[in-house]
PDB file of all heavy atoms in Angstrom:
ATOM      1  N   PRO A1305       0.966   9.109  27.548  1.00  0.00           N
ATOM      2  CA  PRO A1305       1.621   7.824  27.954  1.00  0.00           C
ATOM      3  C   PRO A1305       0.988   6.634  27.320  1.00  0.00           C
ATOM      4  O   PRO A1305       1.594   5.582  27.307  1.00  0.00           O
ATOM      5  CB  PRO A1305       1.521   7.952  29.450  1.00  0.00           C
ATOM      6  CG  PRO A1305       0.384   8.789  29.853  1.00  0.00           C
ATOM      7  CD  PRO A1305       0.411   9.912  28.743  1.00  0.00           C
ATOM      8  N   THR A1306      -0.297   6.806  26.989  1.00  0.00           N
ATOM      9  CA  THR A1306      -0.986   5.629  26.410  1.00  0.00           C
ATOM     10  C   THR A1306      -0.592   5.400  24.899  1.00  0.00           C
ATOM     11  O   THR A1306      -0.929   4.411  24.366  1.00  0.00           O
ATOM     12  CB  THR A1306      -2.460   5.854  26.478  1.00  0.00           C
ATOM     13  OG1 THR A1306      -2.855   6.957  25.692  1.00  0.00           O
ATOM     14  CG2 THR A1306      -2.952   6.016  27.866  1.00  0.00           C
ATOM     15  N   THR A1307       0.007   6.400  24.305  1.00  0.00           N
ATOM     16  CA  THR A1307       0.505   6.240  23.031  1.00  0.00           C
ATOM     17  C   THR A1307       1.909   5.665  22.846  1.00  0.00           C
ATOM     18  O   THR A1307       2.832   6.370  23.418  1.00  0.00           O
ATOM     19  CB  THR A1307       0.394   7.602  22.263  1.00  0.00           C
ATOM     20  OG1 THR A1307      -0.940   8.097  22.275  1.00  0.00           O
ATOM     21  CG2 THR A1307       0.865   7.545  20.855  1.00  0.00           C
ATOM     22  N   THR A1308       2.192   4.737  22.220  1.00  0.00           N
ATOM     23  CA  THR A1308       3.404   4.053  22.081  1.00  0.00           C
ATOM     24  C   THR A1308       3.675   3.807  20.617  1.00  0.00           C
ATOM     25  O   THR A1308       2.795   3.837  19.778  1.00  0.00           O
ATOM     26  CB  THR A1308       3.476   2.760  22.909  1.00  0.00           C
ATOM     27  OG1 THR A1308       2.535   1.788  22.244  1.00  0.00           O
ATOM     28  CG2 THR A1308       3.126   2.968  24.352  1.00  0.00           C
ATOM     29  N   ALA A1309       4.899   3.466  20.331  1.00  0.00           N
ATOM     30  CA  ALA A1309       5.310   3.188  18.955  1.00  0.00           C
ATOM     31  C   ALA A1309       4.542   1.883  18.462  1.00  0.00           C
ATOM     32  O   ALA A1309       4.074   1.806  17.427  1.00  0.00           O
ATOM     33  CB  ALA A1309       6.656   2.890  18.840  1.00  0.00           C
ATOM     34  N   ASP A1310       4.331   0.957  19.377  1.00  0.00           N
ATOM     35  CA  ASP A1310       3.564  -0.304  19.079  1.00  0.00           C
ATOM     36  C   ASP A1310       2.106   0.018  18.831  1.00  0.00           C
ATOM     37  O   ASP A1310       1.558  -0.581  17.900  1.00  0.00           O
ATOM     38  CB  ASP A1310       3.648  -1.238  20.312  1.00  0.00           C
ATOM     39  CG  ASP A1310       4.975  -1.884  20.311  1.00  0.00           C
ATOM     40  OD1 ASP A1310       5.836  -1.803  19.421  1.00  0.00           O
ATOM     41  OD2 ASP A1310       5.463  -2.475  21.422  1.00  0.00           O
ATOM     42  N   SER A1311       1.512   0.889  19.462  1.00  0.00           N
ATOM     43  CA  SER A1311       0.128   1.232  19.326  1.00  0.00           C
ATOM     44  C   SER A1311       0.003   1.927  17.909  1.00  0.00           C
ATOM     45  O   SER A1311      -1.058   1.771  17.243  1.00  0.00           O
ATOM     46  CB  SER A1311      -0.447   2.106  20.396  1.00  0.00           C
ATOM     47  OG  SER A1311       0.119   3.392  20.452  1.00  0.00           O
ATOM     48  N   ARG A1312       0.930   2.725  17.664  1.00  0.00           N
ATOM     49  CA  ARG A1312       0.729   3.485  16.333  1.00  0.00           C
ATOM     50  C   ARG A1312       1.043   2.494  15.219  1.00  0.00           C
ATOM     51  O   ARG A1312       0.357   2.485  14.176  1.00  0.00           O
ATOM     52  CB  ARG A1312       1.861   4.654  16.318  1.00  0.00           C
ATOM     53  CG  ARG A1312       1.518   5.732  17.256  1.00  0.00           C
ATOM     54  CD  ARG A1312       2.678   6.800  17.119  1.00  0.00           C
ATOM     55  NE  ARG A1312       2.633   7.382  15.891  1.00  0.00           N
ATOM     56  CZ  ARG A1312       3.809   8.017  15.225  1.00  0.00           C
ATOM     57  NH1 ARG A1312       4.906   8.004  15.875  1.00  0.00           N
ATOM     58  NH2 ARG A1312       3.688   8.620  14.154  1.00  0.00           N
ATOM     59  N   LYS A1313       1.960   1.532  15.448  1.00  0.00           N
ATOM     60  CA  LYS A1313       2.287   0.515  14.441  1.00  0.00           C
ATOM     61  C   LYS A1313       0.875  -0.315  14.119  1.00  0.00           C
ATOM     62  O   LYS A1313       0.628  -0.644  13.034  1.00  0.00           O
ATOM     63  CB  LYS A1313       3.366  -0.404  14.959  1.00  0.00           C
ATOM     64  CG  LYS A1313       4.738   0.173  14.639  1.00  0.00           C
ATOM     65  CD  LYS A1313       5.747  -0.966  15.067  1.00  0.00           C
ATOM     66  CE  LYS A1313       7.199  -0.564  14.946  1.00  0.00           C
ATOM     67  NZ  LYS A1313       8.102  -1.510  15.324  1.00  0.00           N
ATOM     68  N   ALA A1314       0.243  -0.531  15.286  1.00  0.00           N
ATOM     69  CA  ALA A1314      -0.957  -1.494  15.067  1.00  0.00           C
ATOM     70  C   ALA A1314      -1.982  -0.673  14.262  1.00  0.00           C
ATOM     71  O   ALA A1314      -2.609  -1.324  13.414  1.00  0.00           O
ATOM     72  CB  ALA A1314      -1.529  -1.702  16.421  1.00  0.00           C
ATOM     73  N   ASP A1315      -2.104   0.624  14.470  1.00  0.00           N
ATOM     74  CA  ASP A1315      -3.126   1.371  13.576  1.00  0.00           C
ATOM     75  C   ASP A1315      -2.579   1.450  12.095  1.00  0.00           C
ATOM     76  O   ASP A1315      -3.411   1.281  11.216  1.00  0.00           O
ATOM     77  CB  ASP A1315      -3.245   2.796  14.162  1.00  0.00           C
ATOM     78  CG  ASP A1315      -4.064   2.780  15.394  1.00  0.00           C
ATOM     79  OD1 ASP A1315      -5.061   2.040  15.619  1.00  0.00           O
ATOM     80  OD2 ASP A1315      -3.644   3.642  16.430  1.00  0.00           O
ATOM     81  N   TYR A1316      -1.311   1.579  11.872  1.00  0.00           N
ATOM     82  CA  TYR A1316      -0.876   1.657  10.517  1.00  0.00           C
ATOM     83  C   TYR A1316      -0.980   0.272   9.841  1.00  0.00           C
ATOM     84  O   TYR A1316      -1.325   0.256   8.720  1.00  0.00           O
ATOM     85  CB  TYR A1316       0.625   2.156  10.591  1.00  0.00           C
ATOM     86  CG  TYR A1316       0.887   3.596  10.815  1.00  0.00           C
ATOM     87  CD1 TYR A1316       1.922   4.006  11.675  1.00  0.00           C
ATOM     88  CD2 TYR A1316       0.193   4.609  10.113  1.00  0.00           C
ATOM     89  CE1 TYR A1316       2.108   5.408  11.893  1.00  0.00           C
ATOM     90  CE2 TYR A1316       0.491   5.914  10.366  1.00  0.00           C
ATOM     91  CZ  TYR A1316       1.347   6.313  11.216  1.00  0.00           C
ATOM     92  OH  TYR A1316       1.574   7.649  11.520  1.00  0.00           O
ATOM     93  N   ARG A1317      -0.733  -0.701  10.677  1.00  0.00           N
ATOM     94  CA  ARG A1317      -0.945  -2.079  10.002  1.00  0.00           C
ATOM     95  C   ARG A1317      -2.394  -2.287   9.605  1.00  0.00           C
ATOM     96  O   ARG A1317      -2.738  -2.863   8.481  1.00  0.00           O
ATOM     97  CB  ARG A1317      -0.630  -3.201  11.137  1.00  0.00           C
ATOM     98  CG  ARG A1317       0.854  -3.263  11.337  1.00  0.00           C
ATOM     99  CD  ARG A1317       1.169  -4.596  12.270  1.00  0.00           C
ATOM    100  NE  ARG A1317       2.434  -4.450  12.872  1.00  0.00           N
ATOM    101  CZ  ARG A1317       2.642  -4.244  14.144  1.00  0.00           C
ATOM    102  NH1 ARG A1317       1.596  -4.061  14.971  1.00  0.00           N
ATOM    103  NH2 ARG A1317       3.939  -4.189  14.651  1.00  0.00           N
ATOM    104  N   GLU A1318      -3.308  -1.824  10.455  1.00  0.00           N
ATOM    105  CA  GLU A1318      -4.806  -2.035  10.050  1.00  0.00           C
ATOM    106  C   GLU A1318      -5.078  -1.077   8.951  1.00  0.00           C
ATOM    107  O   GLU A1318      -5.851  -1.481   8.017  1.00  0.00           O
ATOM    108  CB  GLU A1318      -5.659  -1.562  11.367  1.00  0.00           C
ATOM    109  CG  GLU A1318      -7.116  -2.026  11.195  1.00  0.00           C
ATOM    110  CD  GLU A1318      -7.148  -3.564  11.148  1.00  0.00           C
ATOM    111  OE1 GLU A1318      -6.256  -4.293  11.566  1.00  0.00           O
ATOM    112  OE2 GLU A1318      -8.228  -4.085  10.676  1.00  0.00           O
ATOM    113  N   SER A1319      -4.471   0.094   8.856  1.00  0.00           N
ATOM    114  CA  SER A1319      -4.663   0.926   7.699  1.00  0.00           C
ATOM    115  C   SER A1319      -4.195   0.297   6.352  1.00  0.00           C
ATOM    116  O   SER A1319      -4.816   0.230   5.430  1.00  0.00           O
ATOM    117  CB  SER A1319      -3.938   2.316   7.908  1.00  0.00           C
ATOM    118  OG  SER A1319      -4.068   3.110   6.898  1.00  0.00           O
ATOM    119  N   LEU A1320      -3.055  -0.337   6.490  1.00  0.00           N
ATOM    120  CA  LEU A1320      -2.482  -1.035   5.288  1.00  0.00           C
ATOM    121  C   LEU A1320      -3.449  -2.257   4.954  1.00  0.00           C
ATOM    122  O   LEU A1320      -3.646  -2.464   3.771  1.00  0.00           O
ATOM    123  CB  LEU A1320      -1.092  -1.531   5.604  1.00  0.00           C
ATOM    124  CG  LEU A1320      -0.294  -2.300   4.605  1.00  0.00           C
ATOM    125  CD1 LEU A1320      -0.273  -1.348   3.237  1.00  0.00           C
ATOM    126  CD2 LEU A1320       1.000  -2.745   5.043  1.00  0.00           C
ATOM    127  N   ARG A1321      -3.769  -2.909   5.971  1.00  0.00           N
ATOM    128  CA  ARG A1321      -4.731  -4.188   5.714  1.00  0.00           C
ATOM    129  C   ARG A1321      -5.931  -3.708   4.985  1.00  0.00           C
ATOM    130  O   ARG A1321      -6.414  -4.482   4.103  1.00  0.00           O
ATOM    131  CB  ARG A1321      -5.162  -4.808   7.035  1.00  0.00           C
ATOM    132  CG  ARG A1321      -5.923  -6.140   6.960  1.00  0.00           C
ATOM    133  CD  ARG A1321      -6.233  -6.647   8.197  1.00  0.00           C
ATOM    134  NE  ARG A1321      -7.372  -5.988   8.775  1.00  0.00           N
ATOM    135  CZ  ARG A1321      -8.710  -6.246   8.461  1.00  0.00           C
ATOM    136  NH1 ARG A1321      -8.986  -7.045   7.586  1.00  0.00           N
ATOM    137  NH2 ARG A1321      -9.604  -5.466   9.033  1.00  0.00           N
ATOM    138  N   LEU A1322      -6.470  -2.470   5.151  1.00  0.00           N
ATOM    139  CA  LEU A1322      -7.673  -2.070   4.653  1.00  0.00           C
ATOM    140  C   LEU A1322      -7.487  -1.333   3.192  1.00  0.00           C
ATOM    141  O   LEU A1322      -8.322  -0.839   2.593  1.00  0.00           O
ATOM    142  CB  LEU A1322      -8.505  -1.101   5.523  1.00  0.00           C
ATOM    143  CG  LEU A1322      -9.107  -1.842   6.759  1.00  0.00           C
ATOM    144  CD1 LEU A1322      -9.646  -0.734   7.725  1.00  0.00           C
ATOM    145  CD2 LEU A1322     -10.171  -2.768   6.441  1.00  0.00           C
ATOM    146  N   GLY A1323      -6.264  -1.356   2.794  1.00  0.00           N
ATOM    147  CA  GLY A1323      -5.969  -0.882   1.403  1.00  0.00           C
ATOM    148  C   GLY A1323      -5.112   0.392   1.365  1.00  0.00           C
ATOM    149  O   GLY A1323      -4.989   0.875   0.266  1.00  0.00           O
ATOM    150  N   ASN A1324      -4.754   1.094   2.374  1.00  0.00           N
ATOM    151  CA  ASN A1324      -3.933   2.296   2.318  1.00  0.00           C
ATOM    152  C   ASN A1324      -2.425   2.098   2.289  1.00  0.00           C
ATOM    153  O   ASN A1324      -1.743   1.928   3.278  1.00  0.00           O
ATOM    154  CB  ASN A1324      -4.455   3.126   3.617  1.00  0.00           C
ATOM    155  CG  ASN A1324      -3.662   4.579   3.562  1.00  0.00           C
ATOM    156  OD1 ASN A1324      -3.279   4.959   2.549  1.00  0.00           O
ATOM    157  ND2 ASN A1324      -3.585   4.999   4.726  1.00  0.00           N
ATOM    158  N   ASP A1325      -2.002   2.054   1.066  1.00  0.00           N
ATOM    159  CA  ASP A1325      -0.541   1.849   0.737  1.00  0.00           C
ATOM    160  C   ASP A1325       0.351   2.996   1.456  1.00  0.00           C
ATOM    161  O   ASP A1325       1.569   2.725   1.624  1.00  0.00           O
ATOM    162  CB  ASP A1325      -0.218   1.711  -0.654  1.00  0.00           C
ATOM    163  CG  ASP A1325      -0.765   0.426  -1.178  1.00  0.00           C
ATOM    164  OD1 ASP A1325      -1.043  -0.437  -0.322  1.00  0.00           O
ATOM    165  OD2 ASP A1325      -0.931   0.290  -2.362  1.00  0.00           O
ATOM    166  N   ALA A1326      -0.314   4.146   1.749  1.00  0.00           N
ATOM    167  CA  ALA A1326       0.541   5.231   2.326  1.00  0.00           C
ATOM    168  C   ALA A1326       1.064   4.830   3.712  1.00  0.00           C
ATOM    169  O   ALA A1326       2.025   5.396   4.232  1.00  0.00           O
ATOM    170  CB  ALA A1326      -0.306   6.551   2.465  1.00  0.00           C
ATOM    171  N   ALA A1327       0.440   3.791   4.317  1.00  0.00           N
ATOM    172  CA  ALA A1327       0.749   3.360   5.635  1.00  0.00           C
ATOM    173  C   ALA A1327       2.152   2.582   5.562  1.00  0.00           C
ATOM    174  O   ALA A1327       2.845   2.316   6.574  1.00  0.00           O
ATOM    175  CB  ALA A1327      -0.217   2.378   6.292  1.00  0.00           C
ATOM    176  N   ILE A1328       2.582   2.139   4.316  1.00  0.00           N
ATOM    177  CA  ILE A1328       3.845   1.492   4.307  1.00  0.00           C
ATOM    178  C   ILE A1328       5.008   2.332   4.725  1.00  0.00           C
ATOM    179  O   ILE A1328       5.852   1.867   5.467  1.00  0.00           O
ATOM    180  CB  ILE A1328       4.078   0.998   2.769  1.00  0.00           C
ATOM    181  CG1 ILE A1328       2.954   0.017   2.304  1.00  0.00           C
ATOM    182  CG2 ILE A1328       5.456   0.347   2.602  1.00  0.00           C
ATOM    183  CD1 ILE A1328       3.144  -0.425   0.933  1.00  0.00           C
ATOM    184  N   ASP A1329       5.097   3.606   4.262  1.00  0.00           N
ATOM    185  CA  ASP A1329       6.244   4.400   4.662  1.00  0.00           C
ATOM    186  C   ASP A1329       6.093   4.724   6.148  1.00  0.00           C
ATOM    187  O   ASP A1329       7.175   4.893   6.762  1.00  0.00           O
ATOM    188  CB  ASP A1329       6.196   5.735   3.668  1.00  0.00           C
ATOM    189  CG  ASP A1329       6.598   5.487   2.326  1.00  0.00           C
ATOM    190  OD1 ASP A1329       7.269   4.425   2.014  1.00  0.00           O
ATOM    191  OD2 ASP A1329       6.269   6.183   1.461  1.00  0.00           O
ATOM    192  N   LYS A1330       4.927   4.822   6.615  1.00  0.00           N
ATOM    193  CA  LYS A1330       4.682   5.210   8.008  1.00  0.00           C
ATOM    194  C   LYS A1330       5.355   3.994   8.838  1.00  0.00           C
ATOM    195  O   LYS A1330       5.944   4.257   9.840  1.00  0.00           O
ATOM    196  CB  LYS A1330       3.255   5.440   8.399  1.00  0.00           C
ATOM    197  CG  LYS A1330       2.513   6.393   7.499  1.00  0.00           C
ATOM    198  CD  LYS A1330       2.823   7.810   7.992  1.00  0.00           C
ATOM    199  CE  LYS A1330       1.982   8.826   7.212  1.00  0.00           C
ATOM    200  NZ  LYS A1330       2.220  10.209   7.632  1.00  0.00           N
ATOM    201  N   LEU A1331       5.026   2.735   8.470  1.00  0.00           N
ATOM    202  CA  LEU A1331       5.558   1.693   9.178  1.00  0.00           C
ATOM    203  C   LEU A1331       7.093   1.540   9.104  1.00  0.00           C
ATOM    204  O   LEU A1331       7.784   1.305  10.009  1.00  0.00           O
ATOM    205  CB  LEU A1331       4.906   0.337   8.628  1.00  0.00           C
ATOM    206  CG  LEU A1331       3.426   0.132   9.048  1.00  0.00           C
ATOM    207  CD1 LEU A1331       2.864  -1.021   8.205  1.00  0.00           C
ATOM    208  CD2 LEU A1331       3.471  -0.286  10.568  1.00  0.00           C
ATOM    209  N   ARG A1332       7.618   1.811   7.841  1.00  0.00           N
ATOM    210  CA  ARG A1332       9.011   1.734   7.735  1.00  0.00           C
ATOM    211  C   ARG A1332       9.719   2.797   8.707  1.00  0.00           C
ATOM    212  O   ARG A1332      10.796   2.551   9.229  1.00  0.00           O
ATOM    213  CB  ARG A1332       9.476   2.091   6.263  1.00  0.00           C
ATOM    214  CG  ARG A1332       9.184   1.001   5.315  1.00  0.00           C
ATOM    215  CD  ARG A1332       9.336   1.307   3.912  1.00  0.00           C
ATOM    216  NE  ARG A1332       9.075   0.200   2.945  1.00  0.00           N
ATOM    217  CZ  ARG A1332       8.899   0.448   1.753  1.00  0.00           C
ATOM    218  NH1 ARG A1332       8.818   1.583   1.141  1.00  0.00           N
ATOM    219  NH2 ARG A1332       8.772  -0.715   0.947  1.00  0.00           N
ATOM    220  N   ALA A1333       9.066   4.030   8.789  1.00  0.00           N
ATOM    221  CA  ALA A1333       9.615   4.993   9.585  1.00  0.00           C
ATOM    222  C   ALA A1333       9.801   4.697  11.069  1.00  0.00           C
ATOM    223  O   ALA A1333      10.516   5.134  11.819  1.00  0.00           O
ATOM    224  CB  ALA A1333       8.839   6.247   9.389  1.00  0.00           C
ATOM    225  N   LEU A1334       8.782   3.686  11.523  1.00  0.00           N
ATOM    226  CA  LEU A1334       8.736   3.288  12.795  1.00  0.00           C
ATOM    227  C   LEU A1334       9.528   1.994  13.054  1.00  0.00           C
ATOM    228  O   LEU A1334       9.525   1.282  14.109  1.00  0.00           O
ATOM    229  CB  LEU A1334       7.346   3.095  13.328  1.00  0.00           C
ATOM    230  CG  LEU A1334       6.411   4.297  13.526  1.00  0.00           C
ATOM    231  CD1 LEU A1334       5.061   3.970  13.799  1.00  0.00           C
ATOM    232  CD2 LEU A1334       7.073   5.189  14.751  1.00  0.00           C
ATOM    233  N   GLY A1335      10.246   1.590  11.925  1.00  0.00           N
ATOM    234  CA  GLY A1335      11.216   0.420  12.136  1.00  0.00           C
ATOM    235  C   GLY A1335      10.548  -0.861  11.845  1.00  0.00           C
ATOM    236  O   GLY A1335      11.077  -1.874  12.237  1.00  0.00           O
ATOM    237  N   GLU A1336       9.310  -0.927  11.218  1.00  0.00           N
ATOM    238  CA  GLU A1336       8.730  -2.169  10.927  1.00  0.00           C
ATOM    239  C   GLU A1336       9.447  -3.052   9.974  1.00  0.00           C
ATOM    240  O   GLU A1336       9.959  -2.492   8.876  1.00  0.00           O
ATOM    241  CB  GLU A1336       7.343  -2.057  10.259  1.00  0.00           C
ATOM    242  CG  GLU A1336       6.471  -3.187  10.108  1.00  0.00           C
ATOM    243  CD  GLU A1336       5.845  -3.746  11.391  1.00  0.00           C
ATOM    244  OE1 GLU A1336       6.180  -3.149  12.551  1.00  0.00           O
ATOM    245  OE2 GLU A1336       4.921  -4.603  11.273  1.00  0.00           O
ATOM    246  N   PRO A1337       9.896  -4.345  10.271  1.00  0.00           N
ATOM    247  CA  PRO A1337      10.640  -5.078   9.325  1.00  0.00           C
ATOM    248  C   PRO A1337      10.026  -5.283   7.907  1.00  0.00           C
ATOM    249  O   PRO A1337       8.738  -5.340   7.909  1.00  0.00           O
ATOM    250  CB  PRO A1337      10.823  -6.441   9.972  1.00  0.00           C
ATOM    251  CG  PRO A1337      10.598  -6.088  11.440  1.00  0.00           C
ATOM    252  CD  PRO A1337       9.533  -5.003  11.491  1.00  0.00           C
TER     253      PRO A1337
END
């Protein structure tokens, strides 16, 4: 119950910020604009 789409998005965003472009598709799959 502590895992939400928003919490996963936050981790993917941080991954992308640190240079991991693979996080782009992960964010798209979760509906990130």
Side-chain angles (χ1 to χ4, degrees):
T1306 64
T1307 300
T1308 64
D1310 286 342
S1311 67
R1312 293 178 66 206
K1313 280 184 183 181
D1315 287 324
Y1316 285 134
R1317 289 189 199 105
E1318 197 62 21
S1319 179
L1320 180 58
R1321 186 183 74 82
L1322 290 173
N1324 180 21
D1325 287 342
I1328 294 174
D1329 288 338
K1330 306 282 186 178
L1331 284 166
R1332 286 173 178 162
L1334 289 173
E1336 186 82 348

